[in-house]
Coordinates of all heavy atoms in Angstrom, one line a residue:
S6 N -43.0 64.7 39.9 CA -43.5 64.5 38.5 C -44.7 65.3 38.4 O -45.4 65.7 39.3 CB -43.8 63.0 38.4 OG -45.2 62.8 38.6
T8 N -47.5 64.6 37.3 CA -48.7 63.9 37.5 C -49.1 63.6 38.9 O -50.1 63.1 39.2 CB -48.7 62.6 36.8 OG1 -47.6 61.8 37.3 CG2 -48.4 62.7 35.2
S9 N -48.2 64.0 39.8 CA -48.4 63.6 41.3 C -49.2 64.6 42.0 O -48.8 65.8 42.1 CB -47.0 63.4 41.9 OG -47.2 63.4 43.4
P10 N -50.4 64.2 42.6 CA -51.1 65.1 43.5 C -50.3 65.5 44.7 O -50.6 66.7 45.2 CB -52.4 64.3 43.8 CG -51.9 62.8 43.7 CD -50.9 62.8 42.7
F11 N -49.5 64.7 45.2 CA -48.7 65.1 46.4 C -47.6 66.1 46.1 O -47.4 67.0 46.9 CB -48.1 63.8 47.1 CG -49.2 62.8 47.3 CD1 -49.4 61.6 46.6 CD2 -50.1 63.0 48.4 CE1 -50.4 60.7 46.8 CE2 -51.1 62.0 48.7 CZ -51.2 60.9 47.9
A12 N -46.9 65.8 45.0 CA -45.9 66.8 44.6 C -46.6 68.2 44.3 O -46.1 69.3 44.5 CB -45.2 66.4 43.3
K14 N -49.2 69.4 45.8 CA -49.4 70.2 47.1 C -48.2 71.1 47.4 O -48.3 72.3 47.7 CB -49.6 69.2 48.2 CG -50.9 68.5 48.3 CD -50.9 67.4 49.4 CE -50.6 67.9 50.8 NZ -50.4 66.8 51.7
T33 N -41.5 57.5 38.8 CA -42.0 57.0 40.0 C -42.8 55.7 39.9 O -43.9 55.6 40.4 CB -42.9 58.0 40.8 OG1 -43.9 58.4 39.9 CG2 -42.2 59.1 41.2
L34 N -42.3 54.8 39.2 CA -43.0 53.5 39.2 C -42.5 52.7 40.4 O -41.3 52.4 40.6 CB -42.6 52.7 37.9 CG -43.7 52.6 36.8 CD1 -43.3 51.6 35.7 CD2 -45.1 52.3 37.4
P35 N -43.5 52.2 41.2 CA -43.1 51.5 42.4 C -42.3 50.2 42.1 O -41.5 49.7 42.8 CB -44.5 51.0 43.0 CG -45.5 51.9 42.5 CD -45.0 52.4 41.2
T36 N -42.4 49.7 40.9 CA -41.7 48.5 40.5 C -40.3 48.8 40.0 O -39.5 47.9 39.7 CB -42.5 47.7 39.5 OG1 -42.9 48.6 38.4 CG2 -43.7 47.1 40.0
L42 N -33.9 59.5 42.6 CA -34.8 59.6 43.7 C -34.5 58.7 44.9 O -34.4 59.1 46.0 CB -36.3 59.2 43.3 CG -37.4 59.4 44.2 CD1 -37.5 60.8 44.9 CD2 -38.7 59.0 43.5
L48 N -37.6 55.6 50.4 CA -38.8 55.0 49.9 C -39.1 55.3 48.6 O -40.2 54.8 48.0 CB -40.0 55.7 50.8 CG -39.8 55.6 52.3 CD1 -40.8 56.4 53.0 CD2 -39.9 54.1 52.7
S49 N -38.2 56.0 47.9 CA -38.4 56.2 46.4 C -39.7 56.8 46.1 O -40.4 56.4 45.2 CB -38.1 55.0 45.5 OG -36.8 54.7 45.6
K50 N -40.1 57.8 46.8 CA -41.4 58.4 46.6 C -41.3 59.9 46.4 O -40.4 60.6 47.0 CB -42.4 58.2 47.8 CG -42.9 56.8 47.9 CD -44.0 56.6 48.8 CE -44.7 55.3 48.8 NZ -46.0 55.3 49.3
I51 N -42.1 60.5 45.6 CA -42.2 61.9 45.5 C -43.5 62.4 46.2 O -44.4 61.6 46.4 CB -42.2 62.4 44.0 CG1 -43.4 61.7 43.3 CG2 -41.0 62.2 43.3 CD1 -43.7 62.3 41.9
P52 N -43.4 63.7 46.8 CA -42.3 64.6 46.6 C -41.2 64.4 47.6 O -41.4 63.9 48.6 CB -43.1 66.0 47.0 CG -44.2 65.6 47.9 CD -44.6 64.2 47.5
Y63 N -38.9 64.4 53.1 CA -39.9 63.7 52.2 C -41.2 63.6 52.9 O -41.3 63.7 54.1 CB -39.4 62.5 51.7 CG -38.6 61.7 52.6 CD1 -39.1 60.9 53.6 CD2 -37.2 61.6 52.4 CE1 -38.3 60.1 54.5 CE2 -36.4 60.8 53.3 CZ -37.0 60.1 54.3 OH -36.2 59.4 55.1
D64 N -42.3 63.3 52.1 CA -43.7 63.2 52.4 C -44.2 64.6 52.3 O -43.6 65.6 52.8 CB -44.0 62.7 53.8 CG -45.4 62.2 53.8 OD1 -46.3 63.1 53.9 OD2 -45.7 61.1 53.8
S65 N -45.3 64.8 51.5 CA -45.8 66.1 51.2 C -46.2 66.8 52.5 O -46.0 68.0 52.6 CB -47.0 66.1 50.2 OG -48.0 65.4 50.9
R66 N -46.7 66.0 53.5 CA -47.1 66.8 54.7 C -45.9 67.4 55.4 O -46.0 68.6 55.9 CB -47.7 65.8 55.6 CG -49.0 65.2 55.0 CD -49.6 64.1 55.9 NE -49.9 63.0 55.1 CZ -50.8 62.1 55.3 NH1 -51.5 62.2 56.4 NH2 -51.1 61.2 54.5
D99 N -55.7 63.8 51.4 CA -54.6 63.0 51.1 C -55.1 61.5 51.0 O -54.5 60.7 50.2 CB -53.4 63.1 52.1 CG -52.6 64.4 51.9 OD1 -52.9 65.2 51.0 OD2 -51.5 64.4 52.6
D103 N -54.5 59.1 48.1 CA -53.8 57.8 48.3 C -54.7 56.7 47.7 O -54.2 55.8 47.0 CB -53.7 57.5 49.8 CG -52.5 58.1 50.4 OD1 -51.5 58.2 49.7 OD2 -52.6 58.4 51.6
V106 N -54.6 56.9 43.9 CA -53.2 56.3 43.3 C -53.3 54.8 43.3 O -52.9 54.1 42.4 CB -52.2 56.9 44.1 CG1 -50.8 56.2 43.7 CG2 -51.9 58.4 43.8
Y110 N -52.7 52.2 40.2 CA -51.7 51.2 40.2 C -52.5 49.8 39.8 O -51.9 49.0 39.1 CB -51.0 51.1 41.5 CG -50.1 52.2 41.7 CD1 -49.5 52.4 43.0 CD2 -49.6 53.0 40.7 CE1 -48.7 53.4 43.2 CE2 -48.7 54.0 40.9 CZ -48.2 54.3 42.2 OH -47.4 55.3 42.4
Y163 N -56.5 65.3 40.8 CA -56.0 64.1 40.4 C -57.1 63.1 40.0 O -57.0 62.4 39.0 CB -55.2 63.4 41.5 CG -54.5 62.1 41.1 CD1 -53.3 62.1 40.3 CD2 -55.1 60.9 41.4 CE1 -52.8 60.9 39.9 CE2 -54.5 59.7 41.1 CZ -53.4 59.7 40.3 OH -52.8 58.5 39.9
Ligands
GSH201 N1 -47.8 60.2 51.8 C1 -47.0 60.5 50.7 C2 -47.5 59.9 49.4 C3 -46.5 60.0 48.2 C4 -46.8 59.1 47.1 O1 -47.5 58.2 47.2 N2 -46.2 59.5 45.8 C5 -46.3 58.5 44.8 C6 -46.6 59.3 43.5 S1 -48.1 60.2 43.4 C7 -45.1 57.9 44.5 O2 -43.9 58.4 44.7 N3 -45.1 56.5 44.2 C8 -43.9 55.8 43.9 C9 -44.0 54.5 44.7 O3 -44.9 54.3 45.5 O4 -42.9 53.8 44.7 C10 -47.0 62.0 50.5 O5 -47.8 62.7 51.0 O6 -45.9 62.5 49.9

Side-chain angles (χ1 to χ4, degrees):
S6 94
T8 60
S9 166
F11 304 104
K14 282 172 60 190
T33 54
L34 252 193
T36 50
L42 182 58
L48 304 175
S49 293
K50 287 194 175 199
I51 54 165
Y63 36 78
D64 196 288
S65 64
R66 296 172 227 211
D99 281 6
D103 276 330
V106 169
Y110 288 162
Y163 186 76

